[in-house]
């Protein structure tokens, strides 16, 4: 599947859920091999879901996959988080929510 076509469809059709990811804040505490200066959180912003819909969120990168995490959209069908996933020196970071794929960020590390 093409990430580009998924994003194009989801951002131009208001009936299809869409979302984006961005580099978030640095970690505040060490986690595994990540320290507060070597890894950043993935900021996830999504909308277009049914109110209070269950969302299955999985994070992907060249160094591994985390999730799925089960979360719930708010009463407007939106969800945002910057605490589910984090990466350091990774490539091809993206997130999938209920089968919809986000934009891809590569390289992840830009600091």
């Amino acid at each position: 599947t093409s990430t580009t076509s998924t994003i194009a469809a989801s951002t131009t059709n208001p009936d299809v859920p869409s979302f984006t990811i961005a580099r978030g804040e640095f970690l505040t505490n060490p986690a595994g091999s990540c320290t507060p200066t070597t890894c950043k959180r993935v900021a996830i912003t999504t909308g277009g879901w049914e109110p209070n819909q269950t969302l299955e969120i999985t994070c992907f990168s060249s160094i591994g996959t985390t999730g799925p995490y089960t979360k719930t959209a708010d009463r407007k069908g939106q969800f945002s988080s910057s605490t589910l996933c984090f990466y350091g020196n990774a490539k091809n970071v993206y997130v999938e929510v209920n089968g919809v794929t986000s934009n891809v960020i590569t390289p992840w590390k830009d600091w």
Side-chain angles (χ1 to χ4, degrees):
T1 51
S2 169
T3 301
T4 305
S5 63
T6 301
I7 293 304
S10 62
T11 57
T12 58
N13 183 348
D15 297 327
V16 176
S18 64
F19 68 105
T20 59
I21 63 167
R23 292 177 194 93
E25 300 296 318
F26 281 107
L27 293 183
T28 53
N29 295 307
S33 62
C34 284
T35 68
T37 59
T38 61
C39 293
K40 285 188 175 182
R41 297 193 172 278
V42 179
I44 302 167
T45 304
T46 185
W49 306 99
E50 292 296 321
N52 305 310
Q53 181 175 348
T54 299
L55 306 175
E56 187 173 285
I57 303 168
T58 305
C59 302
F60 299 89
S61 82
S62 61
I63 57 175
T65 301
T66 58
Y69 305 98
T70 302
K71 299 295 178 180
T72 304
D74 67 16
R75 61 187 175 95
K76 294 181 180 179
Q78 301 172 343
F79 176 80
S80 64
S81 175
S82 61
T83 60
L84 294 180
C85 316
F86 55 87
Y87 295 106
N89 195 18
K91 294 178 182 166
N92 302 322
V93 173
Y94 67 98
V95 175
E96 188 174 281
V97 178
N98 290 9
V100 179
T101 303
S102 75
N103 55 305
V104 179
I105 300 177
T106 192
W108 180 255
K109 189 168 184 176
D110 70 344
W111 59 94

